[in-house]
Structure formats: structure tokens, C-alpha cells
Amino acid sequence: MDENHDDKRGDERGIRCNRREVLAGALALPMLPCGFRAPGFLQEPAPAARSKNLVVIELAGGNDAINTVVPHSDPEYARARPTLAIRRGLHPIDERVSLHPALARLSALHAANEAATLLGVGYPDPDRSHFRSMDIWQSGRTDVEDPRLGVFGLAADVLHRRGATLPAIALGISKRPLGLAGRSFVAPALTTLVEHRLELGDVVPELEHARERALDDRTEPDVGDDALDRLIKKTARQAYGSARTLRQLAAKRPGGGTAATFEAACALAADVLTSSIGVRIVWLRLSGFDTHAGQARVHGPLLAELDRGIGTLRDMLDRGGAWQTTRVVVFSEFGRRVAENRSRGTDHGAAGHVFLIGRGLRSGVHGDVPSLVDLERGDLRHAFDFRRLYAELLESWLDVPPLDAGVRAPASRFLT
Amino acid sequence: MTAAGWMRRFEPTRSRPFDLAARVHVLRRAVFAHPTSWLRATQNASPSEVAAWLVNGEAPDSRERRVLARRDAILALDDVDATAAWLWSRLLTAQHPLRARMMLFWHDHFATAISKVRSCAWMVEQFDVFERFGLGSFRDLLERVSSGPAMLRWLDAESNRRGNANENFARELFELFTLGRGNYSEEDVREAARAFTGWRILRGRGHFDERLHDHGPKRVLGRDDIERGHDVLNLICGSQQHARFIAERLLRTFVGPDHPEGAIDDLARVYRDADGRIDRTLEVLLASEVVHDPRARNTRVRSPAAFAIWILRTLGLEVAPVPLHRAVARMGQELLEPPDVSGWAGEEAWLSSATWLARVRFATDLGRAADPLFPTPPLGRCIRGHGPERELDALIDLLFPEATTMGERVNLLARAVGEVRGSRDVRLAGTFTSLVLLPRAHRF
């Protein structure tokens, strides 16, 4: 480095301070305050009496609704899908529709009255951009140009205010989804639990505590902090807090917990939800549904992955005693065009289907099978606005007023 | 060149001097870092001279040439991590730091992910296009990027054929690359997709196949004289809305998310007068009133790349590039793997519990001796002075040279001091880590 950095610029700097004075000032201030109080996030979460949980599964890229819930009784289906129509191995879930052959577990859950299929779900004036449509699905808003807040992030804010230290978490994703973006609570997005730890380097154990305290100290409010300072400090504070919480959790589990695959993320979600650390909302994502070309090759394996993940989630939650209190909702930003393209794929569409899974809900197939002929610019029309389901999940499951999460739609009645 | 309104040249005054703090701000915004050598090169320069210095850059030195010479060896490996790490080396040794910074900017703008492209060579070719054309005419850049194999594969150009147009590229072209949502219709997307039919990849290069092209009439954005993709690009790049779109992107990057509304039109005018040349546009912007407005300072959240480049280039630390690439990826910005075609969400989205812990880990790793990231020369040799106070002072001088008042420095020190015990290396590591974990180290 430059040897002059120390002094030559001094004149340019205006008031040049005396090092000795500065350090004396620094040392005179309490450097490592010895815990006068335990910060909120250090306190144990109140042992919740099996609070109700929600698992959101996002199918990213636009899942082809028509080949997921196949209208086997509609003669138009084969016409619209000359190469992609599925004829064999379907799992009928009522007289009108069947699930894709890869969805064996989901079909069994239908048979056991633990799953519902909601047909023709969407929103008015559908947008065929992945980003815009995902923004709409995750924010619940069509009237906000560039939404920054997600429905379940706002719900997590409410739960956080009520004392949950870690109300929401995204697993298997490194970036917080918009759906979990709230105003105050910063939901962690993790691919492994091990990843979520505080690394303090080669610190001798006696110093570790002091270092951690020093970090905490730096998240304390200062006079003159602006909104961005406060956000950075809050993020840091919650990072340290959740790291401590998950450290306790990972310590109890061999392997520490990784979410390298969707199924592993589902297993981790079950772990987190059965561990009573106060997580209420888990967000999972399965990507790759943007099947513009060669759809048959990729769609089946993706749905099989989804099916395995749902099965694992359900079984582990059941063993852990939390299946009764969990609802799983599976959505995608849009369905795909009714007519297949020449690349044996399908382009962006509009309405899709939603799966709602759990014990004790109104199982079965709800709604009319969308027409394959009466289309909206080549796409399925929606008959049910997804925000009605959000309203119900918020109101009667998470006990959060829908309006607090930006949802104005009247609640549906699928859960009870 | 019309540089009016917010784009008028910043003229320093007694109350708003072009002092060290002002220079540090513009360097951070433009190129993330401010090593002493850059501060010296721009000493006594006017705002316009600094902008010109940034836009002109310098020729590669021996270190940069050594990195560039590894190209064939890296491409022969065909390994994603090695490729990303090599690109990191290019970014960190570039003697034209603004050009390197624009490589990152365009990687975010034309966000293409190797997980779908599946060719390191094609991704490198795209980065080369960013490097070569990223400060030139946007029209040229757009054409090169659009016809490169990485983009053709990424947005499914190969399945976009006559009689069955694939809309993927046309849609993102309008929405994310040139116009922005709401400035075109679904019909425009469909028609433009037909204009782009015929492009495919032949022997690793973009190739236009006349036979696969849809020669029928097309109507795009109200114009009927559209035949090929080329015509669509010309049409878009000549439009008023496109200039506004690019202006907004540049303002968000160099001024911040809350730039004044009126600045968009002012910068759009500059961009059009510059015939869509990015270098000439940036030369005006970086010397302009809006960039130098004190309200623009410290309004952006440092991206992981900005955070890493700030520390490494400013302190002159060299680190092993593969672990560096992984560390930045953990912080949320995996080079060659943007989350989707809209790029990284940026700003507050960089801040989550997980990515914060990754920042802590990166800061910790840089300081400690036994880590694979372990910098050469180590921190200890980049920092002059011995004894806790001199070391601290030297670190503050380098990282926060703008902290010039006593109050500011006392505040920094008070918040930063780690341990004063231990060996010099342990001390330095602790002090360094606590300095770069201050909130102000994560905004710029």
C-alpha cells in the first residue's frame, strides 16, 4: 500500500485528530457492556401449545396446470395437446379430473381426505410475465406497480409483534422471497441450518462471548441513525438471534440439516416446525416449471419431486405430532397456454390450480373444470381469486387480520 | 451535449466543496473502491476530470495481463467455479475499474445464468461482450448480447421458429432489457418474437438461419416495417421510452433508489444526445449535480460484490479467487448465477439474516490466518503502523477516509474496537472485522 496514506492527505481532511486523544475517547466508552438486560431475541420463545403453521410451496416458472390436473373427460384436451397429452397412468381424483402420473402421494392424500384441489385459480387481467405475476401472487396486490411487501411477510410482522422470535423462514432458498418480505421482521432464507451460524474465527472460547456481545452492541440504536441504519442493525440483530435459535436446533439433529434438494428442504421444514422454536410460516420453492420446450422430459420428474417432498413433509410432521396443525398450500405464478407449441412445450398462460393439503380441511376437488375452448387469449380463465384463499389462511389459520397483510378479498371456506 | 437540469455539471462552492469526502463518494458509487493510488490519481481534479478519469481508465498492468493470459487454461477446465473465480480476478485487477464495474452492471441487466446456459465458454464470451461494448453504444451491446450463444440458449431462441414463435426473448427484451413493463402490448411481444425467429446456435456461435425465419409481415409498437430482430432493436433503441428506461437504470445505480424524478428525463436527453453511448452518458452523469448532491450519499445498500471489492481493492488485499467467489455467493450474489432474468433484487433485499451472517463470516475469514481465503499479503502487511491505536487509525484512514471530523472518528473507534490484547495479527483481525461490520460499512 501507499506509504503516504497516513499523513499526506491530512491537510485535505480539515480537522485532523490526534490519535491518542481518539483512542483515549474510544477506550473511555464502555466497549463491551456486560449484559444489563437480555435482548428480546435471547429470551426463550414461550412454549407454544402447537400453534397453527403454514407451509407455502411455490412452483417457480409457471406450472402447466392442464397436465398437472388433467381434464381426462374433456375431448378438447387431446386436441390441444397433440404430443403432450397424458393418457396413461393418471390418478383420477373425481369423475372429471386426474392427477399427473407422478403425483401418486398427492392422489393418496386426496383419497384420505387430506388434500383439496382448487380449480381455475388466478386473478383478473392476468399478467404473463413471470416476475410480474409472481409479484402479484406473493404480494396479493395487482394495484402496486413494484410491490415490496409480501402477504406472509406482513403476517410474520404481526406474529413477530406478538412475540414470535422467528415467525417465518424460507428453506432451500438463499434469497428471501417477496412473499415473506415484511415491514419489520426480516425472514431468513436458508439452504442449510449450518449455514446459519455465527462465525467468529479463531477466537478462544473465553473471548467468544465477548465477541458476540460486541457484535450485539453494534446493533444498539445510536443517536442520528436513519432508516437504513436501523434496517441494517435490525437485520444484524435478528441474524444473531436466529443463529442462536437454530444453533440449539441443529445441535439436536445429526447432520445439522441441509436442504440441497426440494425433498431435503421439506424434511428440514418438518424439523423446524416440530421443534417448537416458534416458526409459523415456512416458504419452500421448487423451480424449473418454465417448460417452453421439451416439456414432457422435465415436467414429470419435477412433479415427482414435488410429490416426494409433500409425502416427506406430511409423514415427518405426522410423526412429530404437528400434521394436525399444519396447512400446506401449493401454487405457481400462472398456468401455461392451452395449446402446446412446436417445441413440444407450452408458453406462459393465465389461470392455474392450487393444492391445499392438511388434515381436517374440506378435501376434494373444488370449482368447475376450466374450459379448454372458452379461453382468454389462448389461456384458461380463472374462476376463483387466490386472494380469497389468502384471506381464509390469514384469518382462520394464522389468526392475522387479512387487512394487516394487505388482503381485502372475502375469505373462502376450504379449511373448515 | 445538453446537460441541463439535474445533469448540469457540479460546480463546487465554498459550502459544497469537492473535497476528499466528495471524491470518495463518487469513486465508491462508480467503482466501489478507493485505494490510496486512485485517490492520489484524482487529487486536485475537478468533478469532470474525475469523471473523465473513470471513463477513460488505464491500460492493463502486468498483474492484470497475467490474469487475462490465463484465459485458455481456464476455458480448458470448463469448470463453473474456476470460471467465476477467474472473472472475479478480472474484476479485482482491472486497471479500468469502471469498465469492470459495468461488466457487473450488465451481468445484472442481461442477467443470464450458467445453470441453463451450461457452457462456461459462452458465459465468458458474454462477459467479454460486456467488457468490450459495455461502455460503448448500447445498441451495439444489445445486438451482441442478443445474438450471443449464452443469451440464445438462456431465453430459448432455438425453439423460436417460423409458425411457432417462442416469446421468451422478445418479452424480456421489452420488459427487462430496453423498455420496461407497460410500454408494449402482448401483441407486440408476439409479433416481435416472430421477427426474432431464425436465430440458433451453430458451432458455439449465434447464427441466423434464413430458412427458419418468419418472413411474414409483422407489426411491432405501431410500425409495419419490421422484418427481422435487427429492425426491432433499432426501433426500440431509437425510442424515447428506451432512453428513459436506461436513464432510470443508471440513476438507480449511480445515484440510488430515491433519485429525483426529474433526473430521468434530464439523463434520457443526455443519453439520446450521446447517440446511446454509455461512456459519454456516464461522463456527464458522474460529474453531474445529481450524483454530487449530498443527499445521494450513503443511500444505497452495498451489494456483496460492492462490499468485497470495496474491502479488497481499497486495502490492496489479494485473496484466493475460488473461496472469494463462494463467499460472495453466500452473501447472496453468485456470479454467473443471477436468481432470474431480472437480475438481483438489490438494495434492502441484500439484507437478510442468512446473508448478514455470511457478511460476518467473510469479514472474519479475511482477518484470520488459517482460512483458505487467507489474503496474501495478509492484512498485517497492508496496514502500516504498530500498536492498537496506530493500526486502528490506519484502517480507518483506508476504509473511511471521509471520516474527517473528530466526532466521526471517535464514534467509529468506539464502535469498532475489538480486543486490544493479543498479537498484532489477532488485534488487527478483530479491529478490521468490527470496522467492516459497522452499519456504515454496508451502505455507500
Side-chain angles (χ1 to χ4, degrees), chain A residues 83-330:
Chain A
T83 74
L84 291 178
I86 302 166
R87 294 175 184 84
R88 271 187 281 273
L90 290 167
H91 304 288
I93 48 172
D94 76 355
E95 65 285 357
R96 305 165 297 164
V97 291
S98 298
L99 295 184
H100 186 285
L103 296 173
R105 223 24 238 285
L106 190 54
S107 130
L109 287 171
H110 273 86
N113 293 326
E114 290 192 3
T117 294
L118 281 44
L119 297 172
V121 186
Y123 56 90
D125 196 13
D127 201 295
R128 284 156 183 82
S129 149
H130 291 294
F131 319 102
R132 180 62 187 153
S133 201
M134 212 36 124
D135 278 359
I136 290 171
W137 269 91
Q138 299 201 18
S139 68
R141 307 287 295 261
T142 50
D143 55 335
V144 180
E145 184 55 34
D146 186 15
R148 294 295 180 94
L149 299 167
V151 167
F152 298 102
L154 289 168
D157 279 350
V158 174
L159 300 170
H160 190 230
R161 278 199 297 277
R162 289 183 193 157
T165 52
L166 191 58
I169 194 168
L171 294 171
I173 312 172
S174 57
K175 194 183 89 187
R176 182 186 63 191
L178 174 67
L180 286 188
R183 281 199 188 86
S184 54
F185 173 70
V186 183
L190 303 182
T191 51
T192 71
L193 290 189
V194 187
E195 204 176 277
H196 198 75
R197 67 171 186 269
L198 198 49
E199 285 253 8
L200 294 173
D202 313 317
V203 188
V204 284
E206 311 87 77
L207 270 179
E208 197 170 324
H209 225 69
R211 277 260 179 111
E212 282 201 23
R213 263 208 317 275
L215 284 177
D216 284 341
D217 179 43
R218 244 159 278 134
T219 67
E220 294 296 321
D222 271 318
V223 188
D225 279 356
D226 64 6
L228 189 49
D229 284 326
R230 285 194 294 273
L231 176 69
I232 293 170
K233 287 183 176 182
K234 185 173 70 187
T235 305
R237 198 162 51 240
Q238 292 188 343
Y240 306 143
S242 58
R244 289 176 184 121
T245 307
L246 292 183
R247 182 163 62 195
Q248 294 161 6
L249 176 62
K252 290 179 202 146
R253 273 145 234 274
T258 54
T261 63
F262 177 70
E263 191 180 0
C266 288
L268 209 55
D271 263 354
V272 166
L273 288 174
T274 47
S275 69
S276 310
I277 57 168
V279 173
R280 302 280 308 275
I281 304 167
V282 178
W283 192 286
L284 303 170
R285 176 188 297 153
L286 181 57
S287 304
F289 286 90
D290 199 13
T291 49
H292 284 280
Q295 175 172 314
R297 217 173 41 245
V298 287
H299 194 232
L302 275 171
L303 291 180
E305 211 176 335
L306 172 68
D307 200 58
R308 273 199 308 278
I310 289 173
T312 300
L313 182 68
R314 186 229 169 260
D315 294 346
M316 286 181 65
L317 285 174
D318 198 27
R319 278 199 300 277
W323 181 236
Q324 190 78 37
T325 50
T326 302
R327 293 292 175 261
V328 182
V329 61
V330 185

Side-chain angles (χ1 to χ4, degrees), chain B residues 27-220:
Chain B
L27 287 180
R28 278 182 186 155
R29 272 304 156 79
V31 293
F32 301 140
H34 41 80
T36 315
S37 58
W38 297 357
L39 287 176
R40 205 176 331 106
T42 55
Q43 199 160 13
N44 304 322
S46 70
S48 309
E49 286 164 347
V50 171
W53 179 81
L54 284 164
V55 166
N56 294 327
E58 278 164 27
D61 60 3
S62 59
R63 211 171 125 231
E64 186 181 0
R65 281 199 303 272
R66 272 201 305 281
V67 169
L68 292 172
R70 289 212 301 272
R71 163 187 302 270
D72 291 345
I74 293 292
L75 287 180
L77 291 175
D78 195 27
D79 174 80
V80 177
D81 276 356
T83 305
W86 178 66
L87 290 170
W88 265 111
S89 298
R90 280 170 69 178
L91 294 171
L92 287 168
T93 55
Q95 293 304 299
H96 194 323
L98 185 63
R99 182 178 287 155
R101 195 252 181 277
M102 292 310 280
M103 281 164 78
L104 275 176
F105 175 86
W106 296 120
H107 181 41
D108 192 12
H109 186 88
F110 293 108
T112 305
I114 197 162
S115 52
K116 179 164 175 188
V117 173
R118 290 183 176 279
S119 159
C120 293
W122 296 357
M123 293 301 292
V124 166
E125 192 245 33
Q126 192 182 64
F127 266 75
D128 289 343
V129 168
F130 295 156
E131 186 175 53
R132 202 165 142 219
F133 297 91
L135 277 173
S137 142
F138 179 83
R139 171 71 184 74
D140 294 346
L141 173 69
L142 179 62
E143 175 131 33
R144 297 280 180 151
V145 173
S146 308
S147 58
M151 184 59 78
L152 291 171
R153 171 67 46 83
W154 173 234
L155 294 181
D156 300 308
E158 291 159 299
S159 53
N160 184 23
R161 303 215 188 95
R162 183 182 59 229
N164 209 289
N166 187 313
E167 298 165 8
N168 212 0
F169 174 73
R171 180 182 307 279
E172 310 312 4
L173 172 74
F174 286 147
E175 177 178 340
L176 299 171
F177 302 159
T178 60
L179 292 176
R181 243 172 40 79
N183 297 298
Y184 53 88
S185 68
E186 284 295 319
E187 204 50 34
D188 289 325
V189 171
R190 290 172 204 227
E191 294 279 293
R194 292 177 49 226
F196 287 104
T197 50
W199 278 96
R200 60 198 191 96
I201 300 167
L202 193 67
R203 287 187 286 278
R205 309 177 82 111
H207 171 79
F208 180 72
D209 188 333
E210 197 77 49
R211 293 164 306 174
L212 299 173
H213 181 68
D214 181 338
H215 290 276
K218 305 159 192 88
R219 186 178 166 81
V220 179

